[in-house]
Amino acid sequence: MGAEMDTGLRNRVAIVSGASQGLGRATAIALAAEGAQVALCARSLPALQQLAAELKEKYSIEVHCESCDAKDAAATHAFVCDVHRVFGRIDVCVTNAGGPPAKLFLDTTQDEWEDAFALNLRSAVDFAQAVIPYMQSQHWGRFITISSITVKQPQPQLVLSNAIRTGILGLVRSLSNEFAKDGITANNVGPGYTATARLLELAERRAAATGKAERDIEQTWIDQIPVGRLGKPEEVADAIVWLASERASFVTGQTILVDGGMYQGL
């Protein structure tokens, strides 16, 4: 983001879920670089603790981390309470969770649908219910969800994601309407094909299903992206930092795609 643009994030308190790897990790680093104090959760505590140590040393900020399964509503609420107890405020909440498995529709199970709902929609609801009262009391807040390009342009074999994640659009729009008067914005970031462990896993599954080489699968994705390459997690994180900043105070209820031009709609 550079020194030219003051984001106003220094000493703000930002929650990032799913922060142990991929987009969540990149977002935590980007917010820390702006001087925000960060509260991190994910299922893997050792990975979080390692990241926390790096952030404290490099950016001289406070970091709080806890193990938390995004599908566990009670654990989410407990984590948010702990964050408020530790820092005394919560300014930014970035909800992020891994995507559901890649499957054809008739291969999906009831349990997978329930899991996808809990992970990719209800987890965002749980965080919103937990953090918004704190943001209301400050009359300032940024609620940001990370979803996927699938909310605008469904992708093959990702029916679970295509169907469940679109609920995020309705959630974000509803929150933006209801809480704008409280100084709270709510926005969604939809990454396109981004170089993360999740994408490697997707390539492996596609390769196994089709008999093609993983690099050929990856090339089919790149061919759909006008910019001509996969996205970097840091590029998604930069969009999130801007939405979290003072500079985006008039932007709410929106979905911003960070997809290298892949989305073909208007």
Side-chain angles (χ1 to χ4, degrees), residues 9-30:
L9 288 169
R10 182 161 301 283
N11 295 322
R12 293 277 188 196
V13 174
I15 285 175
V16 183
S17 68
S20 60
Q21 59 179 350
L23 299 176
R25 179 185 167 87
T27 299
I29 293 168

Side-chain angles (χ1 to χ4, degrees), residues 16-215:
V16 183
S17 68
S20 60
Q21 59 179 350
L23 299 176
R25 179 185 167 87
T27 299
I29 293 168
L31 288 165
E34 295 297 322
Q37 322 288 341
V38 292
L40 313 176
C41 69
R43 283 174 300 179
S44 167
L45 191 56
L48 282 183
Q49 288 169 329
Q50 186 181 340
L51 175 59
E54 290 170 20
L55 295 179
K56 283 178 185 175
E57 184 179 355
K58 187 168 185 184
Y59 300 112
S60 302
I61 57 162
E62 290 301 311
V63 184
H64 176 75
C65 55
E66 285 182 34
S67 174
C68 178
D69 184 344
K71 291 188 288 190
D72 184 339
T76 296
H77 279 265
F79 167 65
V80 171
C81 281
D82 286 347
V83 173
H84 192 266
R85 182 174 47 73
V86 169
F87 291 107
R89 61 186 298 121
I90 296 171
D91 301 290
V92 177
C93 180
V94 182
T95 72
N96 166 58
K103 288 202 163 187
L104 294 169
F105 176 68
L106 292 178
D107 295 335
T108 60
T109 66
Q110 193 68 43
D111 283 349
E112 284 168 338
W113 281 99
E114 297 291 343
D115 258 13
F117 169 69
L119 188 63
N120 294 122
L121 181 54
R122 204 202 63 218
S123 63
V125 172
D126 293 335
F127 269 105
Q129 286 181 326
V131 301
I132 284 174
Y134 294 125
M135 292 176 176
Q136 280 180 308
S137 70
Q138 299 156 192
H139 205 79
W140 199 96
R142 300 283 188 263
F143 185 78
I144 302 162
T145 54
I146 301 178
S147 63
S148 162
I149 190 176
T150 60
V151 301
K152 295 283 191 179
Q153 190 162 296
Q155 296 298 305
Q157 294 180 19
L158 292 183
V159 63
L160 291 161
S161 185
N162 295 340
I164 299 288
R165 286 193 195 265
T166 47
I168 288 287
L169 300 182
L171 174 66
V172 160
R173 179 66 77 183
S174 300
L175 296 177
S176 69
N177 290 343
E178 191 171 341
F179 299 107
K181 67 182 189 305
D182 298 312
I184 300 168
T185 66
N187 292 288
N188 172 46
V189 172
Y193 287 118
T194 309
T196 63
R198 152 88 170 154
L199 198 69
L200 290 175
E201 181 193 324
L202 206 55
E204 283 171 22
R205 281 176 177 271
R206 289 265 171 95
T210 60
K212 293 180 182 173
E214 283 175 40
R215 65 179 177 277

